[in-house]
Amino acid sequence: MLTPSGRYGRFAMPRPIWTGSISFGLVTIPIRVIAATETHNIQLHQYHDVDQGRIRYQKVCELDGKVLEPEEIGRGYEIARDTVVPVTDEELDNLPLPTARTIEIVAFLPAERIDPIRMADGYYLQAGAPAAEKPYVLLRRALERSSRVAIAQYAWHGRERLGMLRVIDDAIALHSLKWDDEVREPTALAPAPVAVDDEEVDAAVELMETLGRDDISGYTDQYTEAMAALIEAKQEGVEPPRAPREEQPAQVVDLMDALRSSVTKARTARGEGEQATVHEMPGRRKKTTAADTEKTTTTGARKTTPKKTTAKKSTAKKSTARRPRRSA
């Protein structure tokens, strides 16, 4: 059976991707680095439509047209159109970096001071030898007691990186971080000033509370599952499953109507019943003054206000009724 990883029952144990040590003051902890995540994407290849021949990419020298083997390919930096400074792997390995084989801890700070947008890949650090187990546990317990994370510098794959060490269960994890100049400023993306009243904010908060959860476990990669089902169906010569055709929900123009309808839909999806009611949002109501009463009596301009409010509520119910329910 095709598994989500695209393999037939084959699962490999994680292998270390880097070996070195953690430098913690004068304490050195030999460690092995293991990837903390894995991908289960189903890999598709390119084929010739006529004969199903596999399409492959070859590395060809643009001067003599020769297809090159990996051992014939070097690296270099182009300083002009026809001038390249070659750089060998040995030269890269011997760069004068103190972090070449060491994850050097340089600071400790509260975790909330690290913006999540700076985080990239995650890794687990494993003690590299029996003698490293005690200093490993010492660092882990110190991080737990201090409620802080460690900031470190290290060099992998030809470049120096910034990282954050934190505790996950009984292990120390490493998250690579972006440098300051690698993070773009979002200032230019902010929308122009717009008026949002308290009632709309309260409605949005109620929707957030309705959709609230304690963790993110339980979600599945529906695309990969659907891809696996498609491949199995075609392999067995049966009709592949197709997405059901759903009616487009009625477009709700009013923001408050959209929020209230969303709360009702979310409550229904959580099994709180289709008759879930949406309470009036605790917004700030404008007090009726003597002048307003006199104006209503004289001109009658405010007599239509209750009808407009009733019409809005009716519209919200109609929009909700026309919106198809999503099956569980």
Side-chain angles (χ1 to χ4, degrees):
M1 180 179 178
L2 184 65
T3 64
S5 61
R7 300 171 181 170
Y8 291 82
R10 296 175 57 191
F11 295 95
M13 294 297 291
R15 294 181 298 177
I17 60 175
W18 189 84
T19 57
S21 62
I22 300 175
S23 175
F24 176 35
L26 297 179
V27 179
T28 300
I29 311 172
I31 52 95
R32 290 188 289 263
V33 178
I34 299 173
T37 60
E38 60 184 358
T39 178
H40 289 163
N41 294 337
I42 297 177
Q43 185 66 42
L44 299 180
H45 302 291
Q46 291 185 327
Y47 290 88
H48 187 194
D49 286 338
V50 176
D51 54 16
Q52 297 300 300
R54 176 78 178 272
I55 306 299
R56 300 185 182 275
Y57 296 91
Q58 298 175 320
K59 297 184 178 182
V60 180
C61 176
E62 64 178 14
L63 296 180
D64 58 18
K66 179 183 177 182
V67 178
L68 302 179
E69 299 296 330
E71 59 270 14
E72 300 178 278
I73 300 175
R75 286 180 288 184
Y77 182 79
E78 183 176 317
I79 59 176
R81 183 175 179 83
D82 298 322
T83 306
V84 176
V85 177
V87 179
T88 66
D89 291 339
E90 182 181 0
E91 291 170 335
L92 291 174
D93 292 338
N94 292 324
L95 285 175
L97 294 175
T99 57
R101 302 299 301 176
T102 303
I103 300 174
E104 183 178 359
I105 295 178
V106 296
F108 295 89
L109 71 161
E112 57 268 20
R113 298 289 299 276
I114 305 297
D115 192 330
I117 203 169
R118 300 186 65 160
M119 296 184 187
D121 297 327
Y123 308 90
Y124 291 133
L125 304 183
Q126 180 185 40
E133 293 178 355
K134 184 173 182 177
Y136 182 100
V137 174
L138 172 64
L139 176 59
R140 186 195 71 200
R141 293 187 61 180
L143 288 171
E144 289 176 329
R145 183 172 298 182
S146 67
S147 299
R148 293 186 171 223
V149 297
I151 303 301
Q153 292 183 232
Y154 57 99
W156 286 0
H157 309 302
R159 56 169 296 192
E160 191 170 44
R161 301 167 188 263
L162 192 66
M164 179 187 76
L165 277 66
R166 69 184 182 103
V167 177
I168 300 180
D169 294 333
D170 292 332
I172 298 176
L174 169 67
H175 296 270
S176 59
L177 301 176
K178 300 292 185 181
W179 296 98
D180 291 345
D181 58 359
E182 293 180 319
V183 180
R184 295 171 178 160
E185 292 292 338
T187 307
L189 304 177
V194 60
V196 179
D197 60 41
D198 290 341
E199 187 178 7
E200 292 170 329
V201 176
D202 290 337
V205 170
E206 183 175 357
L207 176 58
M208 293 169 61
E209 292 175 349
T210 305
L211 297 174
R213 292 191 57 165
D214 294 331
D215 54 58
I216 60 172
S217 61
Y219 295 102
T220 59
D221 183 358
Q222 300 181 55
Y223 179 86
T224 300
E225 293 175 353
M227 179 67 72
L230 170 65
I231 294 175
E232 288 183 349
K234 300 195 70 172
Q235 184 180 13
E236 296 171 1
V238 299
E239 182 70 17
R242 296 183 178 274
R245 300 184 62 179
E246 297 183 357
E247 297 181 6
Q248 292 295 329
Q251 185 176 4
V252 181
V253 179
D254 184 79
L255 181 58
M256 282 300 301
D257 286 346
L259 289 170
R260 288 167 174 162
S261 298
S262 299
V263 171
T264 301
K265 184 177 179 181
R267 287 176 173 172
T268 302
R270 291 172 67 97
E272 298 182 14
E274 297 185 11
Q275 303 301 324
T277 59
V278 181
H279 300 286
E280 189 69 24
M281 305 302 171
R284 297 181 179 176
R285 296 180 176 274
K286 183 179 179 181
K287 295 183 179 180
T288 303
T289 63
D292 292 332
T293 304
E294 181 180 355
K295 185 176 180 180
T296 303
T297 305
T298 304
T299 64
R302 291 182 178 270
K303 290 182 179 180
T304 58
T305 302
K307 294 182 180 180
K308 288 184 178 180
T309 304
T310 304
K312 278 190 175 182
K313 291 183 178 179
S314 176
T315 303
K317 292 181 180 179
K318 289 182 180 180
S319 300
T320 306
R322 289 197 300 268
R323 186 170 300 185
R325 287 189 300 150
R326 183 176 296 176
S327 59

